[in-house]
């Protein structure tokens, strides 16, 4: 029952995210005459030239890749991505209906001032939405589907170059589509920057952390303080100094970024203790405050 509820919630969340993403396009992107990155950027430019709704174009562009991912890579990922694309495309088509009349909500200044806010806000919002949808083992289509297919057959291939080339092409072509002006090119670049950075931050989110590797003669004492004061545990590893061949203990601990100062204060109390610090871009599994249910380590 819990599995059914979780799956239902995921599909409902993907549906809602797709509608919000489409709304972002209608309010911030289409009225301000610039193309976002990726396949949707191409669809936006075709819509601008030929007045063909981008919703239809999004479906046409993504269906072949959805089928390929379903057959060759991951069926669940393909189905969830298809749900997003269908809902996103359908929402774009429905929002074009005059009956809805979204004009009061559209962001566009009469004299062209503050045009920069269109790509900034839409990049931030769509980046956040993309980060969330990826957490549900799905994607928004386009270059993400191409990335999955490339990784299937060329795991070591750097897809960032493919993304860079595609986004650069969209930015360059937008110069000719939107009246031979540089502003749409700059707006496309600006959108791409916020879109990729915010989605990356969303994926890292609260799972971004700091890793300490602590060499000490007081492993139990340090570990107890980490558990009691920071709410995290540690892994104890036996170590040997290469120069003196003295036996040491090494504690490996992953903590929140805002706990660095507290852990440094703990380590200062124990003579001869040394630590190296590194960034952890993400963590998998439980990474929570355990102070309420922690137990101390004893000799």
């Amino acid at each position: 029952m819990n599995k059914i509820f979780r799956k239902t919630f995921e599909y409902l969340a993907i549906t809602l995210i797709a509608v919000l993403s489409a709304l972002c396009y209608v309010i911030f992107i289409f009225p301000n005459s610039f193309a976002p990155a990726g396949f949707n950027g191409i669809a936006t430019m075709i819509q601008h030239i030929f007045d063909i709704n981008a919703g239809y174009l999004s479906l046409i562009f993504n269906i072949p890749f959805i089928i390929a991912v379903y057959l060759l890579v991951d069926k669940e990922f393909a189905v969830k991505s298809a749900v997003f694309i269908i809902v996103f495309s359908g929402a774009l088509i429905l929002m074009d209906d005059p009956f809805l009349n979204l004009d009061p909500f559209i962001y566009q200044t009469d004299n062209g001032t503050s045009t920069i806010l269109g790509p900034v806000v839409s990049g931030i919002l769509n980046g956040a939405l993309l980060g969330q949808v990826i957490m549900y083992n799905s994607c928004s289509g386009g270059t993400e589907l191409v990335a999955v297919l490339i990784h299937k057959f060329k795991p070591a291939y750097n897809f960032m170059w493919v993304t860079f080339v595609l986004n650069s092409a969209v930015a360059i072509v937008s110069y000719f589509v939107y009246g031979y002006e540089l502003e749409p090119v700059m707006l496309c670049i600006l959108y791409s920057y916020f879109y990729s950075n915010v989605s990356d931050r969303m994926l890292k989110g609260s799972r971004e952390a700091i890793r300490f590797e602590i060499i000490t003669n007081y492993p139990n004492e340090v570990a107890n303080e980490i558990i009691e004061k920071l709410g995290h545990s540690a892994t104890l590893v036996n170590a040997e100094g290469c120069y003196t061949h003295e036996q040491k203990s090494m504690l490996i601990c992953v903590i929140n970024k805002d706990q660095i100062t507290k852990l440094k204060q703990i380590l200062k109390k124990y003579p001869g203790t040394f630590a190296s610090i590194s960034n952890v871009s993400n963590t998998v599994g439980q990474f929570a405050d355990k102070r309420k249910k922690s137990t101390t380590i004893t000799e």
Side-chain angles (χ1 to χ4, degrees):
M1 187 64 184
N2 289 335
K3 185 177 181 180
I4 295 174
F5 176 79
R6 179 174 59 83
K7 289 291 183 183
T8 302
F9 175 80
E10 287 179 355
Y11 280 100
L12 289 175
I14 291 170
T15 299
L16 177 61
I17 291 169
V19 172
L20 292 175
S21 182
L23 193 62
C24 188
Y25 270 73
V26 172
I27 293 176
F28 296 108
I29 295 177
F30 296 154
N32 289 290
S33 299
F34 76 95
F39 283 20
N40 285 333
I42 298 172
T44 300
M45 289 189 291
I46 294 175
Q47 174 179 277
H48 179 79
I49 298 172
F50 300 106
D51 199 27
I52 301 173
N53 191 288
Y56 297 111
L57 298 170
S58 179
L59 275 177
I60 293 170
F61 291 160
N62 283 292
I63 284 175
F65 294 101
I66 285 290
I67 294 172
V69 171
Y70 183 86
L71 295 176
L72 301 174
V73 185
D74 187 330
K75 290 181 171 57
E76 181 185 358
F77 178 83
V79 170
K80 287 182 175 180
S81 299
V83 170
F84 181 95
I85 292 164
I86 291 170
V87 174
F88 173 79
S89 301
L92 285 181
I93 295 168
L94 290 175
M95 289 176 188
D96 194 39
D97 192 322
F99 177 77
L100 290 179
N101 189 24
L102 295 174
D103 291 347
F105 305 100
I106 288 176
Y107 176 78
Q108 185 183 33
T109 55
D110 295 332
N111 59 359
T113 59
S114 300
T115 304
I116 192 174
L117 292 180
V120 170
V121 174
S122 57
I124 292 172
L125 293 178
N126 269 334
L129 294 172
L130 172 66
Q132 190 62 48
V133 81
I134 290 176
M135 293 179 186
Y136 296 124
N137 189 31
S138 178
C139 77
S140 60
T143 52
E144 288 94 0
L145 293 174
V146 177
V148 171
L149 290 170
I150 289 177
H151 184 74
K152 170 69 176 178
F153 299 101
K154 299 284 186 180
Y157 194 81
N158 188 351
F159 178 73
M160 292 304 297
W161 284 108
V162 178
T163 305
F164 174 77
V165 170
L166 179 59
N167 292 344
S168 298
V170 171
I172 293 170
V173 173
S174 67
Y175 171 79
F176 303 96
V177 172
Y178 295 102
Y180 301 95
E181 295 182 0
L182 284 176
E183 185 179 64
V185 177
M186 294 185 287
L187 296 180
C188 176
I189 294 171
L190 193 63
Y191 173 90
S192 301
Y193 173 80
F194 281 100
Y195 179 79
S196 59
N197 276 274
V198 172
S199 61
D200 182 61
R201 293 296 301 177
M202 282 293 296
L203 287 172
K204 291 178 180 178
S206 62
R207 313 302 286 183
E208 191 173 9
I210 299 295
R211 172 189 170 107
F212 271 74
E213 292 182 353
I214 305 164
I215 306 298
T216 182
N217 290 322
Y218 309 91
N220 293 323
E221 292 86 345
V222 173
N224 281 335
E225 291 210 50
I226 290 172
I227 293 172
E228 294 172 358
K229 296 182 179 179
L230 303 183
H232 294 287
S233 188
T235 299
L236 177 61
V237 179
N238 293 322
E240 180 181 329
C242 291
Y243 182 72
T244 63
H245 296 287
E246 183 180 352
Q247 295 299 312
K248 293 278 188 177
S249 296
M250 180 171 71
L251 290 171
I252 302 173
C253 177
V254 179
I255 63 173
N256 300 93
K257 295 178 72 174
D258 59 355
Q259 295 177 315
I260 295 177
T261 302
K262 291 182 180 179
L263 184 49
K264 285 182 177 180
Q265 291 172 349
I266 292 172
L267 300 182
K268 287 179 179 179
K269 299 184 333 189
Y270 299 97
T273 297
F274 165 83
S276 63
I277 307 171
S278 59
N279 289 316
V280 176
S281 62
N282 207 338
T283 57
V284 178
Q286 187 175 1
F287 181 61
D289 193 327
K290 302 181 181 66
R291 275 170 286 190
K292 292 183 180 180
K293 49 186 178 184
S294 64
T295 56
T296 58
I297 298 176
T298 56
E299 295 285 354

